[in-house]
Amino acid sequence: MTDSETVRAGRTDRWRGLAGAALLSAAVGLFTQSSGLVLVAGVGTVMLAYARVVTPPSATLSVERSFDPADPARDEPVTVELAVENLGERTLWDVRIADGVPDGLQVTDGEAALGTSLRPGAGTALSYEVAGSRRRYEFDPATVVLRDVTGVVERRVRLSADGTIGWRSAADERPAITPRQSHLSGLLDIDEGGPGVAFHTVREYQARDPLRRIDWRRKAKTGEFATVEYRRERSARVVLTVDTREAAGLAPASGQPTAIDRSVDAADTLLGELIDAGHRVGVAALSPPTLLPPGSSEYHRRRCHDFLARPPFGSGGTTARDTDVGADGGGSIDADRMISDLLARLPGAATVVLFTPLCDPASATAAKRVAAHGYDVTVVSPDPTATATTGQRLARLERRERLRQLRGHGIAVLDWEPGDSFVDALSTGWSR
Amino acid sequence: MRTGRPSAVAALLAGGVAALLVSVTTVTTLMGLAAVTVLAVGLRHRSRSLVTLGALGLFGALLLSGGVSTRPGLTLAAGVGSLLCWTFAQTAVDLSGSLGTARTDRLERTHLAGTTALVAATAIVLDVLYRVDWGTLPPLAVACLLAGAVSLTIAFRP
């Protein structure tokens, strides 16, 4: 039987006032010599006696909750089924069930409640559809009210049933931001021993090593103590770096979003998903060099979001320009200094996602220099080029050459075309 | 089916029958009709206050008719109808309030059948007891015996 907690057991107010009515009926009946009214009073009295004698039904119920599908994709509706069975030997005449739908989960079809009666051994199921977005929702116990057949007494219980459901986020459903899965796919495996789950190595026993990590098999064979090391797991540190230089404020045509606008939108999208996935995420700008160090709290998420909404990221930073050949990004000397500033601010052992249109040599140099300092670098490159003029066509060819060179250096590059959404680009833009 | 509809329909049926049985004078007829109308409005809007008002009106008509009626069986039947009408109407309002638009038809059918059986069986037993020739025993003594039996039942409740 399911764990149950009785919240209340007692009489309802169903027949409140019946005693007064019976008394009045008897009095009027006796006063007017009306046998009929005395009989009516008798019926009322017997009903009152019944209400006094009857006891609240026992909670002999078992409940089981299931989800279909159990691992829903983003925006996919989920059917929740709460199966209820009467395991007792008495009929439960009046069973009212309300499932413990957690806050934030929306019931889109059906009702998360049911009223029924159950014979011994009989069962029923409550089915409804929900929609949500978070990775984890924990259901509360179902509330069940059991009443006698007339509804004058009740027992209110809370029945526990396992219930956790979560939706996959967009990040789960598309390729990782870098083709090297280890960079951003959930927990980051690092080649370092310690506590964890995957075997890594065996080393000499040291005092204060936990007993559960001692290699007892080796002890039995050789008589020596040794300690098993597991592959240590930790979340990745990611710095979303937006190329906010004037050279990046490019758009295929006036009135269209610039590469900086698109980069900021994409960074904002990634920010939430990476934090949801348990990573520590920071935000940086190339010009002026700015860094919000990595963090993973809800407060940090809001702070990054606000940070991305302000200059140099947000409106007021750069005005759109058409792409054309010969853009140098305001001078390679300035660019060098910006990259040096960024490198000085970056935390150690981080993955750097650089959002840049790659329309000048300095942007490609930035990616290569950061990679040369030992960071995992992924370039997300919103393509701002057009093909209306010969100069624009040449700029496009130069940009493609930079993409090719970066890939040749082992840097993952996502080529994001103007008409595509960021999500679409993630599934098609790695090899373009 | 709307939650509480079977109970609401049953309440109106029971109330209608009770109103018909209490219509022995013009006043009780009008009172009965007014009570059922108020009850119907209360059930339409799932209002507990209006439902209670309607049931009270029906009970008032029952008291007035019982005082002048010479047929105890009809008064008893009207009383049963009033009681069922009141409890069914409360069920309709109650279910609608607690379970929204959830499926409750099975629960309601069980409640209607169970309550009707209990109240009707009680009324039949009392009517049979009333019809037995108790010799010189006055009706008040029968009532006292009944009250005593009920009190003992309550006192010896497990």
Side-chain angles (χ1 to χ4, degrees), chain A residues 169-241:
Chain A
S169 71
D172 297 327
E173 291 179 349
R174 62 194 184 215
I177 188 67
T178 158
R180 283 172 292 177
Q181 287 289 327
S182 65
H183 288 188
L184 297 176
S185 58
L187 291 172
L188 180 69
D189 291 337
I190 59 170
D191 196 21
E192 187 179 326
V197 288
F199 175 80
H200 180 262
T201 186
V202 177
R203 63 164 170 78
E204 195 178 333
Y205 174 77
Q206 290 169 4
R208 288 194 291 185
D209 277 346
L211 278 177
R212 66 175 183 276
R213 281 172 51 200
I214 290 174
D215 188 350
W216 294 107
R217 194 172 288 177
R218 174 176 290 209
K219 169 78 174 91
K221 276 184 183 172
T222 66
E224 290 175 1
F225 280 104
T227 303
V228 179
E229 290 270 62
Y230 296 94
R231 194 172 292 277
R232 185 173 286 173
E233 291 178 344
R234 71 177 188 200
S235 59
R237 256 193 306 205
V238 184
V239 179
L240 305 173
T241 308

Coordinates of all heavy atoms in Angstrom, one line a residue, chain A residues 169-241:
Chain A
S169 N 16.2 20.4 -22.9 CA 16.4 21.8 -23.4 C 16.9 21.7 -24.8 O 17.3 20.7 -25.3 CB 17.3 22.6 -22.5 OG 18.6 22.1 -22.7
A170 N 16.9 22.9 -25.4 CA 17.4 23.0 -26.8 C 18.9 22.5 -26.9 O 19.3 21.9 -27.8 CB 17.3 24.4 -27.3
A171 N 19.6 22.7 -25.8 CA 21.0 22.3 -25.8 C 21.1 20.8 -25.8 O 22.1 20.3 -26.4 CB 21.7 22.9 -24.5
D172 N 20.2 20.1 -25.3 CA 20.2 18.6 -25.3 C 19.9 18.1 -26.6 O 20.3 17.0 -27.0 CB 19.2 18.0 -24.3 CG 19.5 18.5 -22.9 OD1 20.7 18.6 -22.6 OD2 18.5 18.6 -22.1
E173 N 19.2 18.8 -27.4 CA 18.6 18.3 -28.7 C 19.5 18.6 -29.9 O 19.2 18.1 -31.0 CB 17.2 18.8 -28.9 CG 16.3 18.3 -27.9 CD 14.9 18.8 -28.1 OE1 14.7 19.7 -28.8 OE2 14.0 18.2 -27.4
R174 N 20.5 19.4 -29.8 CA 21.3 19.7 -30.9 C 22.7 19.3 -30.6 O 23.1 19.1 -29.5 CB 21.1 21.2 -31.3 CG 21.6 22.1 -30.2 CD 21.2 23.5 -30.4 NE 21.7 24.3 -29.4 CZ 21.1 25.4 -28.9 NH1 19.9 25.7 -29.2 NH2 21.7 26.1 -28.0
P175 N 23.5 19.4 -31.7 CA 24.9 19.0 -31.4 C 25.5 20.0 -30.4 O 25.1 21.2 -30.3 CB 25.6 19.2 -32.8 CG 24.5 19.2 -33.8 CD 23.3 19.7 -33.1
A176 N 26.5 19.6 -29.7 CA 27.2 20.5 -28.7 C 27.8 21.6 -29.4 O 28.1 21.6 -30.6 CB 28.2 19.7 -28.0
I177 N 28.0 22.7 -28.7 CA 28.5 23.9 -29.3 C 29.8 23.7 -30.0 O 30.2 24.3 -30.9 CB 28.5 25.1 -28.3 CG1 28.8 26.4 -29.0 CG2 29.4 24.8 -27.2 CD1 27.7 26.9 -29.9
T178 N 30.5 22.7 -29.5 CA 31.8 22.4 -30.1 C 31.7 20.9 -30.4 O 31.1 20.1 -29.7 CB 33.0 22.6 -29.2 OG1 34.0 21.7 -29.6 CG2 32.7 22.3 -27.7
P179 N 32.3 20.5 -31.6 CA 32.2 19.1 -32.0 C 32.8 18.2 -31.0 O 32.5 17.0 -30.8 CB 32.9 19.0 -33.3 CG 33.0 20.4 -33.8 CD 33.0 21.3 -32.6
R180 N 33.8 18.7 -30.2 CA 34.4 17.8 -29.2 C 33.5 17.7 -28.0 O 33.3 18.7 -27.3 CB 35.8 18.4 -28.8 CG 36.9 18.1 -29.8 CD 38.1 18.9 -29.5 NE 37.9 20.3 -29.7 CZ 38.9 21.2 -29.4 NH1 40.0 20.8 -29.0 NH2 38.6 22.5 -29.6
Q181 N 32.8 16.6 -27.9 CA 31.7 16.4 -27.0 C 32.1 16.8 -25.5 O 31.3 17.3 -24.8 CB 31.3 15.0 -27.0 CG 30.5 14.6 -28.2 CD 29.1 15.3 -28.3 OE1 28.5 15.5 -27.2 NE2 28.7 15.6 -29.5
S182 N 33.4 16.6 -25.2 CA 33.7 16.7 -23.8 C 33.6 18.2 -23.3 O 33.5 18.5 -22.2 CB 35.1 16.2 -23.5 OG 36.1 17.0 -24.2
H183 N 33.6 19.1 -24.3 CA 33.7 20.5 -23.9 C 32.5 21.0 -23.1 O 32.6 21.6 -22.1 CB 33.9 21.4 -25.1 CG 35.3 21.3 -25.7 ND1 35.7 22.1 -26.7 CD2 36.3 20.4 -25.4 CE1 37.0 21.7 -27.0 NE2 37.3 20.7 -26.3
L184 N 31.3 20.8 -23.7 CA 30.1 21.4 -23.1 C 29.0 20.4 -22.9 O 27.9 20.8 -22.6 CB 29.6 22.5 -24.0 CG 30.6 23.6 -24.2 CD1 30.0 24.6 -25.2 CD2 30.8 24.3 -22.9
S185 N 29.3 19.1 -23.1 CA 28.2 18.2 -23.0 C 28.0 17.7 -21.5 O 28.6 16.8 -21.1 CB 28.4 17.0 -23.9 OG 29.6 16.4 -23.5
G186 N 27.2 18.4 -20.8 CA 26.9 18.0 -19.4 C 28.1 18.1 -18.6 O 28.9 19.0 -18.7
L187 N 28.3 17.2 -17.7 CA 29.5 17.2 -16.8 C 30.8 17.0 -17.6 O 30.8 16.1 -18.5 CB 29.4 16.2 -15.7 CG 28.3 16.5 -14.7 CD1 28.1 15.3 -13.8 CD2 28.6 17.7 -14.0
L188 N 31.8 17.7 -17.4 CA 33.0 17.6 -18.1 C 33.9 16.6 -17.5 O 34.2 16.6 -16.3 CB 33.7 19.0 -18.1 CG 35.0 19.1 -18.8 CD1 34.8 19.0 -20.3 CD2 35.7 20.4 -18.4
D189 N 34.3 15.6 -18.3 CA 35.3 14.6 -17.8 C 36.7 15.2 -17.9 O 37.1 15.8 -19.0 CB 35.3 13.4 -18.7 CG 34.0 12.6 -18.4 OD1 33.4 12.8 -17.4 OD2 33.7 11.8 -19.3
I190 N 37.5 15.2 -16.9 CA 38.8 15.7 -17.0 C 39.8 14.6 -16.6 O 39.4 13.7 -15.9 CB 39.1 17.0 -16.2 CG1 38.8 16.7 -14.7 CG2 38.2 18.1 -16.6 CD1 39.3 17.8 -13.8
D191 N 40.9 14.6 -17.2 CA 41.9 13.5 -17.0 C 42.6 13.7 -15.7 O 43.8 13.9 -15.7 CB 42.8 13.4 -18.2 CG 43.5 12.1 -18.2 OD1 43.0 11.1 -17.6 OD2 44.6 12.0 -18.8
E192 N 41.9 13.5 -14.6 CA 42.5 13.8 -13.3 C 41.8 12.8 -12.3 O 40.6 12.7 -12.4 CB 42.2 15.2 -12.9 CG 42.9 15.6 -11.6 CD 42.6 17.1 -11.3 OE1 42.5 17.9 -12.3 OE2 42.5 17.4 -10.2
G193 N 42.5 12.1 -11.5 CA 41.9 11.2 -10.6 C 41.3 11.8 -9.4 O 41.7 13.0 -9.0
G194 N 40.4 11.1 -8.8 CA 39.8 11.6 -7.6 C 38.5 10.9 -7.3 O 38.3 9.8 -7.9
P195 N 37.6 11.4 -6.6 CA 36.3 10.8 -6.4 C 35.5 10.9 -7.6 O 35.5 11.9 -8.3 CB 35.7 11.5 -5.2 CG 36.4 12.9 -5.2 CD 37.7 12.7 -5.8
G196 N 34.6 9.9 -7.9 CA 33.8 10.0 -9.1 C 33.2 8.6 -9.3 O 33.0 7.9 -8.4
V197 N 32.9 8.3 -10.6 CA 32.3 7.0 -10.9 C 33.1 6.1 -11.8 O 33.1 4.9 -11.8 CB 30.8 7.1 -11.4 CG1 29.9 7.5 -10.3 CG2 30.8 8.1 -12.5
A198 N 33.8 6.7 -12.8 CA 34.5 6.0 -13.8 C 36.0 5.7 -13.3 O 36.6 6.6 -12.8 CB 34.6 6.7 -15.1
F199 N 36.4 4.5 -13.5 CA 37.7 4.1 -13.0 C 38.8 4.9 -13.7 O 38.8 5.1 -14.9 CB 37.9 2.6 -13.3 CG 39.3 2.1 -13.0 CD1 39.7 1.9 -11.6 CD2 40.3 2.0 -14.0 CE1 41.0 1.5 -11.3 CE2 41.6 1.6 -13.6 CZ 41.9 1.3 -12.3
H200 N 39.8 5.3 -13.0 CA 40.9 6.1 -13.6 C 42.3 5.4 -13.4 O 42.9 5.1 -14.3 CB 40.9 7.5 -13.0 CG 42.0 8.4 -13.5 ND1 43.2 8.6 -12.9 CD2 42.1 9.1 -14.7 CE1 43.9 9.4 -13.7 NE2 43.3 9.8 -14.7
T201 N 42.6 5.2 -12.1 CA 43.9 4.5 -11.9 C 44.0 4.0 -10.5 O 43.0 4.2 -9.7 CB 45.1 5.5 -12.1 OG1 46.3 4.9 -12.0 CG2 45.1 6.6 -11.0
V202 N 45.1 3.3 -10.1 CA 45.3 2.8 -8.8 C 46.6 3.4 -8.3 O 47.6 3.4 -9.0 CB 45.4 1.3 -8.7 CG1 45.6 0.8 -7.3 CG2 44.1 0.6 -9.2
R203 N 46.6 4.0 -7.1 CA 47.8 4.5 -6.6 C 48.1 4.0 -5.1 O 47.2 3.3 -4.6 CB 47.7 6.1 -6.5 CG 46.6 6.6 -5.6 CD 46.8 8.1 -5.3 NE 45.6 8.6 -4.7 CZ 45.3 8.5 -3.4 NH1 46.1 7.8 -2.6 NH2 44.3 9.1 -2.8
E204 N 49.2 4.4 -4.6 CA 49.6 3.9 -3.3 C 48.6 4.5 -2.2 O 48.2 5.6 -2.4 CB 51.0 4.4 -3.0 CG 51.6 3.7 -1.8 CD 53.1 4.1 -1.6 OE1 53.7 4.5 -2.6 OE2 53.6 4.1 -0.5
Y205 N 48.3 3.7 -1.3 CA 47.4 4.1 -0.2 C 48.0 5.2 0.6 O 49.2 5.2 0.9 CB 47.1 2.9 0.7 CG 46.2 3.3 1.9 CD1 44.9 3.6 1.8 CD2 46.8 3.4 3.2 CE1 44.1 3.9 2.9 CE2 46.1 3.8 4.3 CZ 44.7 4.0 4.1 OH 44.0 4.4 5.2
Q206 N 47.2 6.2 0.9 CA 47.7 7.3 1.8 C 46.7 7.4 3.0 O 45.5 7.1 2.8 CB 47.7 8.6 1.1 CG 48.8 8.7 0.0 CD 48.6 9.9 -0.9 OE1 47.7 10.7 -0.7 NE2 49.5 10.0 -1.9
A207 N 47.3 7.8 4.1 CA 46.4 7.9 5.3 C 45.3 8.8 5.0 O 45.4 9.8 4.2 CB 47.3 8.5 6.5
R208 N 44.1 8.5 5.6 CA 42.9 9.3 5.4 C 42.2 9.1 4.1 O 41.2 9.8 3.7 CB 43.1 10.8 5.6 CG 43.4 11.1 7.1 CD 43.3 12.6 7.4 NE 44.4 13.3 6.9 CZ 44.6 14.6 7.1 NH1 43.8 15.3 7.8 NH2 45.6 15.2 6.5
D209 N 42.7 8.1 3.3 CA 41.9 7.7 2.1 C 40.6 7.0 2.5 O 40.7 6.2 3.5 CB 42.7 6.8 1.2 CG 43.7 7.5 0.3 OD1 43.5 8.8 0.1 OD2 44.6 6.9 -0.3
P210 N 39.5 7.3 1.9 CA 38.3 6.6 2.4 C 38.4 5.1 2.2 O 39.0 4.6 1.2 CB 37.2 7.2 1.4 CG 37.8 8.3 0.7 CD 39.3 8.2 0.8
L211 N 37.8 4.4 3.1 CA 37.9 2.9 3.1 C 37.3 2.3 1.9 O 37.7 1.3 1.3 CB 37.2 2.3 4.3 CG 37.9 2.3 5.7 CD1 37.0 1.8 6.8 CD2 39.2 1.4 5.5
R212 N 36.2 3.0 1.4 CA 35.5 2.4 0.2 C 36.3 2.4 -1.0 O 36.0 1.8 -2.0 CB 34.1 3.1 0.0 CG 34.2 4.5 -0.4 CD 32.8 5.1 -0.6 NE 32.9 6.4 -1.1 CZ 32.9 7.5 -0.3 NH1 32.9 7.3 1.0 NH2 33.0 8.7 -0.8
R213 N 37.4 3.3 -1.0 CA 38.2 3.3 -2.3 C 39.5 2.5 -2.2 O 40.3 2.5 -3.0 CB 38.6 4.8 -2.5 CG 37.4 5.5 -3.2 CD 37.6 7.0 -3.3 NE 38.8 7.4 -3.9 CZ 39.4 8.6 -3.8 NH1 38.8 9.5 -3.1 NH2 40.5 8.8 -4.4
I214 N 39.6 1.7 -1.1 CA 40.7 0.8 -1.0 C 40.5 -0.4 -1.9 O 39.4 -0.9 -2.0 CB 40.9 0.3 0.4 CG1 41.4 1.5 1.3 CG2 42.0 -0.8 0.5 CD1 41.5 1.2 2.8
D215 N 41.6 -0.8 -2.7 CA 41.6 -1.9 -3.6 C 41.8 -3.2 -2.8 O 42.9 -3.6 -2.5 CB 42.6 -1.8 -4.6 CG 42.5 -2.8 -5.7 OD1 41.7 -3.8 -5.6 OD2 43.2 -2.7 -6.8
W216 N 40.7 -3.8 -2.3 CA 40.8 -4.9 -1.4 C 41.3 -6.2 -2.1 O 41.9 -7.1 -1.5 CB 39.4 -5.2 -0.7 CG 39.0 -4.1 0.2 CD1 38.1 -3.1 0.0 CD2 39.6 -3.8 1.5 NE1 38.0 -2.2 1.0 CE2 38.9 -2.6 1.9 CE3 40.6 -4.3 2.2 CZ2 39.2 -2.0 3.1 CZ3 40.9 -3.8 3.5 CH2 40.2 -2.6 3.9
R217 N 41.0 -6.2 -3.4 CA 41.5 -7.4 -4.2 C 43.1 -7.4 -4.2 O 43.7 -8.5 -4.0 CB 41.0 -7.3 -5.6 CG 41.1 -8.6 -6.4 CD 40.4 -8.5 -7.7 NE 39.0 -8.6 -7.5 CZ 38.1 -8.4 -8.5 NH1 38.5 -8.3 -9.7 NH2 36.8 -8.5 -8.2
R218 N 43.6 -6.2 -4.4 CA 45.1 -6.2 -4.4 C 45.6 -6.5 -3.0 O 46.6 -7.2 -2.8 CB 45.5 -4.8 -4.8 CG 47.0 -4.6 -4.7 CD 47.5 -3.2 -5.2 NE 47.3 -3.2 -6.6 CZ 48.1 -2.4 -7.4 NH1 49.0 -1.6 -6.9 NH2 48.0 -2.4 -8.7
K219 N 44.9 -6.0 -2.0 CA 45.3 -6.3 -0.6 C 45.4 -7.8 -0.3 O 46.3 -8.3 0.3 CB 44.4 -5.6 0.4 CG 44.5 -6.0 1.8 CD 45.7 -5.3 2.5 CE 45.8 -5.6 3.9 NZ 46.6 -6.7 4.3
A220 N 44.4 -8.5 -0.9 CA 44.3 -9.9 -0.7 C 45.4 -10.7 -1.4 O 46.0 -11.6 -0.9 CB 43.0 -10.5 -1.2
K221 N 45.8 -10.1 -2.6 CA 46.8 -10.8 -3.4 C 48.2 -10.5 -2.9 O 49.1 -11.4 -2.8 CB 46.7 -10.3 -4.9 CG 45.7 -11.1 -5.7 CD 45.8 -10.6 -7.1 CE 44.7 -11.3 -8.0 NZ 44.6 -10.8 -9.3
T222 N 48.5 -9.2 -2.7 CA 49.9 -8.8 -2.4 C 50.1 -8.4 -0.9 O 51.2 -8.2 -0.5 CB 50.2 -7.6 -3.2 OG1 49.4 -6.5 -2.9 CG2 50.0 -7.9 -4.7
G223 N 49.0 -8.2 -0.2 CA 49.1 -7.7 1.2 C 49.4 -6.2 1.3 O 49.5 -5.7 2.4
E224 N 49.4 -5.5 0.2 CA 49.7 -4.1 0.2 C 48.3 -3.3 0.0 O 47.5 -3.7 -0.8 CB 50.6 -3.7 -0.9 CG 52.0 -4.2 -0.7 CD 52.9 -3.9 -1.9 OE1 52.4 -3.3 -2.8 OE2 54.1 -4.3 -1.8
F225 N 48.3 -2.2 0.7 CA 47.1 -1.3 0.5 C 47.3 -0.5 -0.7 O 48.4 0.0 -1.0 CB 46.9 -0.4 1.7 CG 46.2 -1.1 2.9 CD1 47.0 -1.5 4.0 CD2 44.9 -1.4 2.8 CE1 46.4 -2.2 5.0 CE2 44.3 -2.0 3.9 CZ 45.0 -2.4 5.0
A226 N 46.3 -0.3 -1.5 CA 46.3 0.6 -2.7 C 44.9 1.3 -2.7 O 43.9 0.8 -2.3 CB 46.6 -0.1 -3.9
T227 N 44.9 2.5 -3.3 CA 43.6 3.3 -3.4 C 43.2 3.4 -4.8 O 44.0 3.8 -5.7 CB 43.9 4.6 -2.8 OG1 44.3 4.4 -1.4 CG2 42.6 5.5 -2.8
V228 N 42.0 3.1 -5.1 CA 41.4 3.3 -6.5 C 41.0 4.7 -6.7 O 40.4 5.4 -5.9 CB 40.2 2.4 -6.6 CG1 39.6 2.6 -8.1 CG2 40.5 0.9 -6.4
E229 N 41.5 5.3 -7.8 CA 41.1 6.6 -8.2 C 40.1 6.5 -9.3 O 40.2 5.7 -10.2 CB 42.4 7.4 -8.8 CG 43.4 7.7 -7.7 CD 43.1 9.0 -7.1 OE1 42.1 9.2 -6.5 OE2 44.0 9.9 -7.2
Y230 N 39.1 7.4 -9.2 CA 38.1 7.5 -10.3 C 38.3 8.7 -11.1 O 38.9 9.7 -10.7 CB 36.7 7.4 -9.7 CG 36.4 6.1 -9.0 CD1 36.6 6.0 -7.6 CD2 36.0 5.0 -9.7 CE1 36.4 4.8 -6.9 CE2 35.7 3.8 -9.0 CZ 36.0 3.7 -7.7 OH 35.7 2.5 -7.0
R231 N 37.7 8.7 -12.3 CA 37.7 9.9 -13.1 C 36.9 11.0 -12.5 O 35.7 10.9 -12.2 CB 37.2 9.6 -14.5 CG 37.5 10.7 -15.5 CD 37.1 10.2 -16.9 NE 37.9 9.1 -17.3 CZ 39.1 9.2 -17.9 NH1 39.6 10.3 -18.1 NH2 39.8 8.1 -18.3
R232 N 37.6 12.1 -12.2 CA 36.9 13.2 -11.5 C 36.0 14.0 -12.4 O 36.3 14.1 -13.6 CB 37.9 14.2 -10.9 CG 37.4 15.3 -10.1 CD 38.4 16.1 -9.5 NE 39.1 15.4 -8.4 CZ 40.2 15.9 -7.7 NH1 40.7 17.0 -8.1 NH2 40.7 15.2 -6.8
E233 N 34.8 14.3 -12.0 CA 33.9 15.1 -12.8 C 33.6 16.5 -12.3 O 33.6 16.7 -11.1 CB 32.5 14.3 -12.8 CG 32.6 13.0 -13.5 CD 31.3 12.3 -13.5 OE1 30.4 12.7 -12.6 OE2 31.1 11.4 -14.3
R234 N 33.6 17.4 -13.2 CA 33.2 18.7 -12.7 C 32.5 19.5 -13.9 O 32.7 19.0 -15.0 CB 34.4 19.5 -12.2 CG 35.4 19.9 -13.4 CD 36.5 20.7 -12.9 NE 37.3 21.2 -14.0 CZ 38.5 21.6 -13.9 NH1 39.2 21.5 -12.8 NH2 39.1 22.1 -15.0
S235 N 31.9 20.5 -13.6 CA 31.2 21.2 -14.7 C 32.2 22.1 -15.4 O 33.2 22.5 -14.8 CB 30.1 22.1 -14.1 OG 30.6 23.0 -13.1
A236 N 32.0 22.4 -16.6 CA 32.9 23.2 -17.4 C 32.7 24.7 -17.1 O 31.7 25.2 -16.6 CB 32.6 23.0 -18.9
R237 N 33.9 25.4 -17.3 CA 33.8 26.9 -17.2 C 33.8 27.4 -18.6 O 34.7 27.1 -19.4 CB 35.1 27.4 -16.4 CG 34.7 27.7 -15.0 CD 35.8 28.5 -14.4 NE 37.1 27.8 -14.4 CZ 38.1 28.0 -13.5 NH1 37.9 28.8 -12.6 NH2 39.2 27.3 -13.6
V238 N 32.8 28.2 -18.9 CA 32.7 28.7 -20.3 C 32.6 30.2 -20.2 O 31.9 30.8 -19.4 CB 31.4 28.1 -20.9 CG1 31.3 28.5 -22.4 CG2 31.3 26.6 -20.8
V239 N 33.4 30.8 -21.1 CA 33.3 32.3 -21.3 C 32.8 32.6 -22.6 O 33.4 32.2 -23.7 CB 34.7 32.9 -21.1 CG1 34.6 34.4 -21.2 CG2 35.3 32.6 -19.7
L240 N 31.6 33.2 -22.7 CA 31.0 33.6 -23.9 C 31.6 35.0 -24.3 O 31.3 36.0 -23.6 CB 29.5 33.7 -23.8 CG 28.8 32.4 -23.3 CD1 27.4 32.6 -23.0 CD2 29.0 31.3 -24.3
T241 N 32.4 35.0 -25.3 CA 33.1 36.3 -25.6 C 32.5 36.8 -26.9 O 32.6 36.2 -28.0 CB 34.6 36.0 -25.8 OG1 35.1 35.3 -24.6 CG2 35.4 37.2 -26.0

